[in-house]
Amino acid sequence: MSNQERVAVGRSGGADACCPGLLTVPLDEEQAVDLAKVFKALGDPVRLRLLSMIASRAGGEVCVCDLTPAFDLSQPTISHHLKLLRQAGLIDCERRGTWVYYWLLPETTDRLAAVLTRPAHGATAEAAG
């Protein structure tokens, strides 16, 4: 997968530079489009479970052979869901022999958390102005 296929949630700079909290400054159109793609990837229960299984794995990575048995879905379907999570910039992977290993990209989940975090003391941009 090329880097151009990824949906980056403001990979250049800190969370505040690309994605201010929803309660501090309204998102511009580009930020909203980028965030919507990531949230869309998370909007499926299978993908949300896959992300949780990958993120919570001891050692920080998991083989696809350990993910597939947890679902009543075919291996190609699981691979499709993993591809969508990769395209959203939530996980990355590496092939090792016949198996593919996945790990969380915490910078993306950190940025999502920053967008959803309320400012200190409930201040908003309007209240501050």
Side-chain angles (χ1 to χ4, degrees):
M1 167 186 306
S2 72
N3 285 337
Q4 291 142 355
E5 290 180 78
R6 287 187 195 236
V7 176
V9 181
R11 291 187 185 258
S12 60
D16 292 335
C18 76
C19 305
L22 292 174
L23 298 177
T24 57
V25 177
L27 296 173
D28 66 29
E29 185 174 351
E30 182 179 344
Q31 292 166 334
V33 168
D34 288 345
L35 283 169
K37 290 176 184 177
V38 177
F39 282 118
K40 183 175 181 180
L42 292 173
D44 181 271
V46 171
R47 290 191 290 273
L48 196 53
R49 283 187 60 209
L50 284 166
L51 184 70
S52 175
M53 291 172 72
I54 294 166
S56 64
R57 184 63 170 225
E61 63 183 29
V62 61
C63 178
V64 69
C65 64
D66 294 325
L67 296 171
T68 305
F71 298 90
D72 190 24
L73 299 170
S74 68
Q75 184 277 324
T77 300
I78 296 297
S79 292
H80 171 73
H81 285 295
L82 290 165
K83 175 184 171 186
L84 294 175
L85 290 171
R86 280 193 337 267
Q87 288 176 336
L90 290 161
I91 62 172
D92 205 352
C93 66
E94 175 181 77
R95 178 172 293 282
R96 299 179 196 157
T98 57
W99 299 113
V100 179
Y101 289 80
Y102 293 88
W103 58 88
L104 179 73
L105 294 175
E107 58 272 12
T108 303
T109 54
D110 290 349
R111 287 188 181 99
L112 292 176
V115 167
L116 297 174
T117 300
R118 292 183 316 136
H121 306 295
T124 64
E126 290 178 10

